[in-house]
Amino acid sequence: MNTVIPSPAQPSIPVAGRSERFPVRRVFCIGRNYADHAKEMGASVDTANPMFFTKPADALVTDGADVPYPSVTHDLHHEVEMVVALASGGTDLTLEQAAATVWGYGVGLDLTRRDLQAQAKAKGSPWDVAKAFDHSAPVSALVPASEVTPTAATRISLEINGETRQAATLGDMLLDVPAILSALSKLFELKAGDIVYTGTPAGVSALLRGDRFRATLEGVATLEGRVV
Ligand code: MN
C-alpha cells in the first residue's frame, strides 16, 4: 500500500518466552467488575448491563517501558486488571463461544486521571480524557491459554514501592471472562487482536512520579515499571 504519510506503527505486546509478539487491534475495558471497587467509587453495579469503555491501542506501554506522568491531572490512579487477548471473535457470542476466543492472558494497569473522570461524571461527559490518554495502558507480556489458564482462585495484586495496594482473587469478579466477552460481543464485533481489561478490585489510589509498580497475576504474569 502506498501511503501519503508514513503508516503508523502496529501496536503489539510481547509474548512470554517467545520472539513473536501479539498484534493489538483494539483495547476494551469493563468498569465496575468488582463489587468492592464499585463501592469505593460510590458507583452502582448492573451486571445485566455492564459498562465498557475503550483505550487506543497505542496507549499500551509494553516491554517494561517507563510510564510518563500524564499532563493536566493531579490525581493519576492505578487500577490493576487481568488482561485477556483474543485469537478470534464474533458477535452475539454464547459463553462457550466467548471462552473459545481467548488466546492468552496478562496483567495490566488501567491508568486513570481520576480528577478528570470525576469532572466527566459530574458533567455527563465522555470518559476519554480520563481513561484513553497516551501511555494509559501498561501491560505485561502475554502467556498463551494453552500454557496456563487463570481460575477463580488466582490472585491478582499490585504493589507500589513494595507496599500492597490492591489484592483480590479472580473469583471476586462480578462477570467472569466468558460473561465479559459475551456481553461485549453484543455491542461490538470482536476480532483477533482485541484485548480486554477485565476490571479492578478495591484499593485504587494515587501514583506519583518515581513510584515503582509491580502487578501480579499469580502464576501467570508480572508487570513491573515506574512512573517518571
Ligand atoms: Mn478499570
Side-chain angles (χ1 to χ4, degrees):
M1 176 177 61
N2 293 321
T3 57
V4 295
I5 59 168
S7 293
Q10 166 68 55
S12 67
I13 303 173
V15 175
R18 295 201 201 172
S19 58
E20 296 96 340
R21 297 174 68 90
F22 183 92
V24 177
R25 175 175 177 257
R26 293 195 290 189
V27 179
F28 295 101
C29 308
I30 185 171
R32 304 172 188 173
N33 198 32
Y34 289 77
D36 58 358
H37 172 62
K39 189 175 176 186
E40 74 179 348
M41 298 302 296
S44 59
V45 167
D46 180 0
T47 52
N49 295 287
M51 193 268 292
F52 295 103
F53 57 93
T54 65
K55 294 176 185 263
D58 64 3
L60 291 166
V61 178
T62 65
D63 303 277
D66 288 342
V67 176
Y69 196 92
S71 62
V72 181
T73 189
H74 299 287
D75 197 19
L76 176 67
H77 271 206
H78 55 73
E79 297 188 359
V80 66
E81 311 200 2
M82 175 170 66
V83 175
V84 178
L86 304 191
S88 61
T91 56
D92 294 314
L93 300 174
T94 64
L95 295 176
E96 189 175 40
Q97 290 169 333
T101 66
V102 175
W103 183 85
Y105 301 91
V107 65
L109 297 180
D110 164 18
L111 295 179
T112 303
R113 286 164 162 156
R114 194 69 75 198
D115 42 2
L116 299 194
Q117 186 191 36
Q119 291 171 19
K121 285 179 177 177
K123 293 179 184 172
S125 300
W127 285 12
D128 300 61
V129 299
K131 288 290 195 179
F133 54 92
D134 297 335
H135 312 288
S136 61
V139 65
S140 71
L142 300 175
V143 178
S146 57
E147 292 178 15
V148 63
T149 298
T151 71
T154 299
R155 189 169 182 271
I156 185 168
S157 61
L158 176 68
E159 290 178 11
I160 304 297
N161 304 324
E163 173 194 331
T164 299
R165 296 267 188 97
Q166 295 186 264
T169 58
L170 297 181
D172 295 329
M173 294 197 300
L174 297 170
L175 270 63
D176 64 10
V177 169
I180 293 168
L181 298 178
S182 176
L184 194 53
S185 76
K186 292 175 169 54
L187 295 163
F188 301 92
E189 181 181 1
L190 299 178
K191 291 188 178 181
D194 290 341
I195 69 169
V196 183
Y197 279 65
T198 57
T200 197
V204 300
S205 63
L207 284 167
L208 303 173
R209 286 183 182 83
D211 280 349
R212 291 185 175 274
F213 52 83
R214 179 182 172 86
T216 305
L217 186 62
E218 191 175 36
V220 180
T222 301
L223 167 68
E224 289 183 292
R226 62 176 180 163
V227 180
V228 298

